[in-house]
């Protein structure tokens, strides 16, 4: 039945050449753990993408129940945790995944740096990777406020003060983040919008560029 459905789609859209162009390529021996044990360090990039995918899917589930206003935000998170079927599991995945994705991406960047994979002709891909890292950090910062508890409130207040101490642009950045002079309803609304609209759009564009360049330049050689 699945084959018939695939053949029906392929006859109309000719999808076979598309996925074969992506999937059918040789994996160098130095990145294949089955050939060389030290190749496991080349898995950090794929693992990072796996965690990012998990974060996107779990975030979509949480967004169906979350209410981004200061009156109901905490109660909606509590409802997800206590009442929604498997809500505590999905929220736990999203919570711990936020830390795990930063760790995995940091390890991936260390591997790229120490194996010299950032050098020509891949320096632009390194820049894109660094931008992805900053976007992931921004995800963590904006998402931390969304439960709207005491810890999230004061952590955001401290973080915004640090941003406000930047020379020249600091006050403007702080106002842009908070929406006013203190953490409040506008801050929560802005952080939610940034977290679920602006940052995902930026992440998808950067990931597309990252994968296109990897596909074009191929995997870097061994150290």
């Amino acid at each position: 039945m699945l084959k018939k459905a695939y053949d029906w789609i392929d006859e109309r859209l000719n999808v076979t050449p598309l996925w074969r162009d992506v999937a059918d390529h040789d994996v160098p021996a130095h990145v294949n753990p089955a050939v060389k044990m030290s190749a496991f360090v080349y898995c950090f990039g794929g693992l990072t993408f796996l965690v990012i995918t998990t974060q996107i899917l779990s975030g979509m589930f949480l967004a169906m129940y979350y209410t981004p206003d200061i009156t109901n935000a905490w109660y909606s998170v509590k409802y997800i945790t206590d009442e929604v079927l498997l809500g505590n599991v999905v929220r736990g995945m999203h919570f711990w995944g936020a830390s795990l994705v930063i760790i995995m991406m940091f390890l991936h960047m260390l591997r790229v740096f120490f194996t010299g994979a950032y050098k020509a002709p891949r320096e632009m891909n390194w820049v894109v990777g660094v931008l992805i890292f900053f976007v992931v950090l921004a995800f963590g910062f904006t998402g931390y406020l969304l439960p709207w508890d005491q810890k999230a409130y004061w952590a955001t207040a401290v973080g915004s003060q640090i941003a406000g101490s930047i020379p020249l642009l600091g006050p403007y950045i702080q106002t842009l983040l908070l929406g006013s002079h203190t953490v409040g309803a506008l801050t929560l609304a802005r952080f939610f919008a940034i977290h679920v609209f602006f940052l995902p759009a930026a992440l998808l564009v950067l990931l597309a560029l990252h994968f296109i360049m990897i596909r074009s330049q191929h995997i870097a050689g061994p150290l």
Side-chain angles (χ1 to χ4, degrees), residues 16-92:
T16 299
L18 298 177
W19 69 260
R20 282 185 175 173
D21 181 62
V22 174
D24 291 356
H25 61 277
D26 294 331
V27 177
H30 69 282
V31 302
N32 189 347
V35 177
K36 193 174 182 180
M37 285 299 297
S38 61
F40 77 92
V41 297
Y42 286 86
C43 298
F44 291 141
L47 291 173
T48 302
F49 180 68
L50 175 63
V51 179
I52 289 176
T53 303
T54 303
Q55 289 298 96
I56 293 173
L57 295 176
S58 59
M60 291 168 64
F61 174 85
L62 296 174
M64 292 192 295
Y65 297 95
Y66 179 74
T67 305
D69 68 72
I70 59 176
T71 303
N72 299 304
W74 186 85
Y75 292 104
S76 65
V77 173
K78 181 175 173 57
Y79 176 77
I80 292 170
T81 306
D82 297 339
E83 303 294 336
V84 177
L85 179 64
L86 298 179
N88 59 335
V89 175
V90 177
R91 189 192 169 208

Side-chain angles (χ1 to χ4, degrees), residues 92-126:
M93 292 171 57
H94 198 74
F95 177 83
W96 293 108
S99 299
L100 183 60
V101 70
I102 294 175
I103 295 172
M104 295 305 303
M105 191 163 186
F106 183 69
L107 292 174
H108 176 56
M109 294 179 72
L110 284 179
R111 195 279 303 166
V112 172
F113 180 79
F114 284 111
T115 58
Y118 63 90
K119 297 178 181 179
R122 298 178 177 84
E123 56 267 64
M124 286 303 300
N125 210 5
W126 168 260

Side-chain angles (χ1 to χ4, degrees), residues 96-178:
W96 293 108
S99 299
L100 183 60
V101 70
I102 294 175
I103 295 172
M104 295 305 303
M105 191 163 186
F106 183 69
L107 292 174
H108 176 56
M109 294 179 72
L110 284 179
R111 195 279 303 166
V112 172
F113 180 79
F114 284 111
T115 58
Y118 63 90
K119 297 178 181 179
R122 298 178 177 84
E123 56 267 64
M124 286 303 300
N125 210 5
W126 168 260
V127 172
V128 171
V130 172
L131 292 176
I132 293 174
F133 185 66
F134 284 126
V135 169
V136 169
L137 291 178
F139 267 114
F141 180 66
T142 55
Y144 201 81
L145 178 66
L146 300 187
W148 196 249
D149 53 16
Q150 286 290 324
K151 184 170 64 174
Y153 179 92
W154 292 111
T156 303
V158 172
S160 63
Q161 289 175 2
I162 294 173
S165 65
I166 298 174
L168 299 179
L169 297 178
Y172 300 100
I173 296 175
Q174 186 176 21
T175 303
L176 177 65
L177 290 174
L178 300 184

